[in-house]
Amino acid sequence: MPKDNTSDLKGVSEEIKSQLTIIPISTIEDVLKEMLGIQLPRIEQVIWSGATFGTPMTNIPG
């Protein structure tokens, strides 16, 4: 369930909650990790500093 909605569980009985696996998530990456067991790199690890769309690979700094 969305992490921001966990406060909505206050109205759900403990009996019901004990029968559920509730995983608060913040991003689609969290969903993929929990449901498929795969962990994607964070966007900061993917984007190269200073690179722009269409930049030839030879011109990328670093």
Side-chain angles (χ1 to χ4, degrees):
M1 79 179 303
K3 190 174 187 176
D4 292 343
N5 293 24
T6 55
S7 62
D8 296 338
L9 292 173
K10 292 177 186 173
V12 178
S13 73
E14 288 301 320
E15 180 181 353
I16 299 294
K17 287 192 281 188
S18 69
Q19 298 176 39
L20 302 173
T21 301
I22 300 170
I23 304 169
I25 60 159
S26 298
T27 65
I28 190 64
E29 289 83 6
D30 293 341
V31 173
L32 293 173
K33 179 181 173 191
E34 295 298 332
M35 298 303 298
L36 302 176
I38 60 175
Q39 187 154 354
L40 299 175
R42 296 193 53 80
I43 191 69
E44 295 85 9
Q45 296 169 326
V46 176
I47 297 176
W48 290 328
S49 175
T52 58
F53 182 74
T55 302
M57 295 290 284
T58 56
N59 293 342
I60 296 176

